[in-house]
């Protein structure tokens, strides 16, 4: 019985530590860069090449404005150990991809793909997708053409703009993962 009580106390303590919200704002003078604030943590981020857009469309390069929830963490287990987080976590395999075709019934969903098949591959040669926080942008309902594969992921070395995601350094990602959980709101804009 003590083990069960200890487990419940641990779970309750972990819930208390989950941030209720994080905020992403554009940087003054550069709409492709921004700041993410999570409690006392403020980190620089790269945004979409189109800046933050209220009316996100597939291929516009915009980071969607709105309030979202993190769904799960995807990570490269062949490169990193499982990070500490309250989010559900899933290893990335070579068959994992994201459907970005508005005409496909799996649009803006995870899909499995074989060699030569389309989709945004989650297992990449670079390190951008070593850690991916999947968010619930355009999921309920999913509307064809309103944007897909919007994630929080790792930034390029030069902090170049993304195709619509929010990206950050690995150190910042690991800090953020310790603070957020499924009930954390991600407010962009």
């Amino acid at each position: 019985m003590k083990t069960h009580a200890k487990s419940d106390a641990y779970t309750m303590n972990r819930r208390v530590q989950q941030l209720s919200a994080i905020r992403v704002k554009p940087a003054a003078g550069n709409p492709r860069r921004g700041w993410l604030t999570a409690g006392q943590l403020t980190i620089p981020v790269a945004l979409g090449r189109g800046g933050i857009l209220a009316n996100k469309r597939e291929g516009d390069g915009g980071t969607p404005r709105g309030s979202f929830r993190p769904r799960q963490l995807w990570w490269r287990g062949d490169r990193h150990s499982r990070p500490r987080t309250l989010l559900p976590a899933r290893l990335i395999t070579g068959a994992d991809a994201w459907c970005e075709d508005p005409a496909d019934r799996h649009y803006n969903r995870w899909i499995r793909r074989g060699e030569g098949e389309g989709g945004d591959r989650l297992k990449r040669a670079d390190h951008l997708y070593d850690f991916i926080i999947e968010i619930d942008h355009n999921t309920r309902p999913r509307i064809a053409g309103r944007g897909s594969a919007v994630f929080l992921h790792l930034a390029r070395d030069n902090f170049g703009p993304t195709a619509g995601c929010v990206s950050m350094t690995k150190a910042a990602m690991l800090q953020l993962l310790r603070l957020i959980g499924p009930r954390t709101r991600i407010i962009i804009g």
Side-chain angles (χ1 to χ4, degrees):
M1 194 57 106
K2 286 184 179 182
T3 304
H4 181 69
K6 184 177 180 182
S7 176
D8 286 346
Y10 176 77
T11 301
M12 290 300 290
N13 187 37
R14 298 282 289 174
R15 283 188 189 140
V16 170
Q17 294 175 6
Q18 182 178 166
L19 284 179
S20 62
I22 64 173
R23 288 177 168 67
V24 178
K25 298 272 189 190
N30 187 349
R32 296 175 175 185
R33 294 275 183 99
W35 294 99
L36 183 148
T37 304
Q40 299 300 313
L41 178 68
T42 299
I43 57 174
V45 293
L47 301 171
R49 68 181 179 277
I52 295 175
L53 300 176
N55 193 17
K56 170 81 180 139
R57 296 284 180 195
E58 189 68 39
D60 64 8
T63 300
R65 178 182 309 275
S67 179
F68 309 100
R69 298 258 185 207
R71 296 182 71 157
Q72 68 180 330
L73 167 70
W74 295 79
W75 99 97
R76 289 284 300 266
D78 58 327
R79 293 181 175 172
H80 307 281
S81 60
R82 186 184 193 281
R84 216 174 98 207
T85 186
L86 295 173
L87 293 173
R90 186 170 180 168
L91 284 168
I92 295 171
T93 71
D96 293 321
W98 212 262
C99 182
E100 297 177 309
D101 179 358
D104 192 301
R105 67 185 176 95
H106 299 293
Y107 177 65
N108 195 30
R109 285 190 182 163
W110 163 80
I111 52 176
R112 295 184 63 77
R113 289 293 190 234
E115 284 290 319
E117 290 183 292
D120 182 12
R121 295 294 177 148
L122 301 187
K123 191 169 189 176
R124 298 170 52 126
D126 62 23
H127 292 276
L128 297 184
Y129 283 5
D130 282 9
F131 299 97
I132 301 169
I133 299 174
E134 175 189 342
I135 67 172
D136 67 355
H137 168 261
N138 193 24
T139 58
R140 291 187 189 140
R142 279 180 308 124
I143 300 170
R146 295 292 293 187
S148 63
V150 177
F151 307 129
L152 278 64
H153 62 73
L154 300 185
R156 291 179 171 81
D157 290 339
N158 66 358
F159 251 72
T162 68
C165 297
V166 176
S167 66
M168 64 200 74
T169 66
K170 178 182 170 186
M173 173 65 79
L174 293 175
Q175 286 181 294
L176 181 63
L177 284 169
R178 289 186 199 105
L179 300 173
I180 68 171
R183 291 181 306 279
T184 304
R185 287 184 309 133
I186 301 168
I187 302 163
I188 302 175

